[in-house]
Amino acid sequence: MSDVTKIVSDIKSGNIKPIYFLMGDEPYYIDKISEFIEDNVLSEEEKGFNQMVLYGRDVAVEEISDNAKRFPMMSERQVVIVKEAQDLSRTIEKLVSYAENPQPSTVLVLCYKYKTIDKRKKLYKTIQKIGLVYESKKLYENQVADWIRRVLAGKKYQIDTKATLMLVEFLGNDLSKISNELDKLMVVLPVESIITPKDIEENIGISKDYNNFELRKAIGERDVYKSNMIINYFAQNQKANPIVVTISLLNSFFTQLLIYHSLKDKSKNHVAKALGVNPFFVSDYITAAKNYPMRKVSQVISFLRDADVKSKGVGANLTSGEILKELIFKIIH
């Protein structure tokens, strides 16, 4: 995020590169940088003749070069943005000849999503010398909660810890989806609000009481009643609560619980670091470890593997709800 801030800051101050090659697995920041250039480098009057958006699937590298070599009309610069440039992956190296002698009055932006170019090749090295190569990497899920808090803080909002974790559990590390949901919340909630689980439930549709976060907690506490309540809710709302996600999250929880049992240092910060979880969750592992000794945890992981196979239709003709009910019974009892 600091790299993106610097790129934006440099553009604002007039330090604009002739080529921006934006690549990587996380499309969110690629979109944000290209949108900022599209919106801010030229005035509205200049954009008509001097701003062009091309798509990788529709153009050849030679056409991109030809357009980039044009001179601007009644403007200091022209902007050429190539979206979905990854569709040109087989021929992208042909851009070397332009990169070696770019048109100084052109800002060429290449959005190369979900991939990276070979850093050993000439194109990468050439653009690095005269332009900017930015690699947008996916965040790990345990980094997303802090990202959400930073984004909201920048807009003068705060968020409750559980509300943050509900978003991460439901949306994973897809920053574009999370950003869209945060935008919805900021439309309906006044500035300086503290976003709560109730806000998430009412505006995004994630249940604050019936979700995988609460199921994991209930199982860890061996709360039979609450676990079954959540499972019944899941059975009635299978589309919003796919069994594959539930089994995967429970498998991660019990695998981490196995690691917890093996730790000598069980201080809160050390546990959080060793398990790669938010410190908010550490108390859940402490409670679960008391209820599930190491031998039982190993057994539970075996139950989860069996349930995963059954959920794929192998060896059992059961509904998702029936598989989960059987699984929870085996785990808790």
Side-chain angles (χ1 to χ4, degrees):
M1 198 166 179
S2 59
D3 290 343
V4 177
T5 303
K6 186 177 188 312
I7 292 168
V8 169
S9 177
D10 283 348
I11 293 170
K12 283 181 178 177
S13 66
N15 180 15
I16 300 173
K17 305 292 185 183
I19 304 178
Y20 289 85
F21 199 101
L22 313 174
M23 64 182 189
D25 294 327
E26 178 50 71
Y28 177 80
Y29 285 121
I30 293 174
D31 287 338
K32 286 295 178 187
I33 295 169
S34 65
E35 285 168 10
F36 182 82
I37 292 171
E38 189 173 351
D39 293 342
N40 294 279
V41 169
L42 299 179
S43 67
E44 289 303 318
E45 294 76 20
E46 292 171 326
K47 287 177 185 177
F49 289 112
N50 299 292
Q51 187 150 287
M52 179 180 297
V53 177
L54 306 171
Y55 289 85
R57 65 179 177 272
D58 300 326
V59 296
V61 170
E62 291 81 3
E63 293 174 73
I64 296 170
S65 296
D66 289 343
N67 282 294
K69 288 174 183 175
R70 287 192 309 120
F71 288 98
M73 292 181 64
M74 297 176 289
S75 173
E76 184 182 343
R77 292 187 178 91
Q78 71 155 344
V79 174
V80 178
I81 298 173
V82 184
K83 298 188 176 182
E84 311 301 335
Q86 69 274 9
D87 289 338
L88 294 162
S89 59
R90 292 183 180 180
T91 56
I92 196 71
E93 276 295 316
K94 291 182 180 179
L95 200 61
V96 168
S97 58
Y98 175 78
E100 288 178 327
N101 187 28
Q103 174 64 263
S105 56
T106 293
V107 180
L108 175 60
V109 183
L110 296 124
C111 303
Y112 198 86
K113 295 179 180 178
Y114 314 112
K115 293 183 176 183
T116 58
I117 54 171
D118 192 332
K119 296 176 182 178
R120 298 167 298 180
K121 294 283 185 74
K122 193 171 183 180
L123 180 62
Y124 177 86
K125 293 175 180 177
T126 304
I127 295 176
Q128 265 213 319
K129 287 178 185 174
I130 55 91
L132 182 142
V133 180
Y134 170 73
E135 183 175 352
S136 183
K137 296 180 179 179
K138 279 277 187 191
L139 293 183
Y140 294 110
E141 283 201 10
N142 62 0
Q143 299 173 309
V144 178
D146 285 338
W147 181 86
I148 290 171
R149 282 191 283 270
R150 288 199 305 271
V151 168
L152 289 171
K155 303 285 181 67
K156 297 184 179 178
Y157 285 83
Q158 296 179 56
I159 187 166
D160 173 273
T161 300
K162 182 179 173 182
T164 309
L165 298 172
M166 284 169 65
L167 286 173
V168 176
E169 181 210 319
F170 192 71
L171 300 169
N173 62 349
D174 189 325
L175 301 188
S176 296
K177 285 185 180 178
I178 294 172
S179 179
N180 288 339
E181 299 302 338
L182 293 180
D183 286 343
K184 290 179 190 176
L185 290 166
M186 288 186 283
V187 166
V188 296
L189 299 173
V191 174
E192 298 187 353
S193 293
I194 299 174
I195 298 168
T196 66
K198 186 179 179 183
D199 295 323
I200 301 291
E201 182 174 57
E202 291 177 351
N203 297 287
I204 298 178
I206 308 170
S207 172
K208 65 182 174 63
D209 297 315
Y210 301 105
N211 55 61
N212 284 306
F213 168 71
E214 292 296 338
L215 176 62
R216 186 178 64 184
K217 187 175 178 68
I219 290 172
E221 294 171 353
R222 292 192 107 139
D223 187 331
V224 178
Y225 176 75
K226 188 174 180 182
S227 297
N228 281 315
M229 288 280 287
I230 296 170
I231 289 302
N232 288 333
Y233 177 86
F234 283 6
Q236 293 165 19
N237 300 272
Q238 291 182 34
K239 190 174 180 181
N241 303 279
I243 187 172
V244 64
V245 174
T246 299
I247 291 174
S248 176
L249 290 171
L250 288 176
N251 186 66
S252 294
F253 178 67
F254 279 97
T255 301
Q256 289 166 322
L257 195 56
L258 204 59
I259 296 169
Y260 175 86
H261 276 299
S262 69
L263 294 175
K264 291 182 179 179
D265 181 356
K266 289 185 168 62
S267 62
K268 186 175 182 178
N269 288 337
H270 186 263
V271 169
K273 187 176 180 181
L275 303 187
V277 299
N278 190 295
F280 179 82
F281 283 130
V282 171
S283 60
D284 292 349
Y285 289 91
I286 294 170
T287 300
K290 293 174 183 174
N291 289 322
Y292 298 91
M294 188 174 283
R295 187 173 178 179
K296 177 66 176 178
V297 173
S298 299
Q299 191 180 36
V300 168
I301 291 172
S302 177
F303 294 153
L304 287 161
R305 285 175 183 158
D306 289 343
D308 183 51
V309 170
K310 288 177 182 177
S311 73
K312 295 176 171 67
V314 180
N317 187 23
L318 301 172
T319 66
S320 294
E322 290 168 337
I323 294 168
L324 283 177
K325 285 175 185 177
E326 180 184 74
L327 173 63
I328 300 310
F329 178 85
K330 286 180 176 179
I331 291 174
I332 294 180
H333 292 85

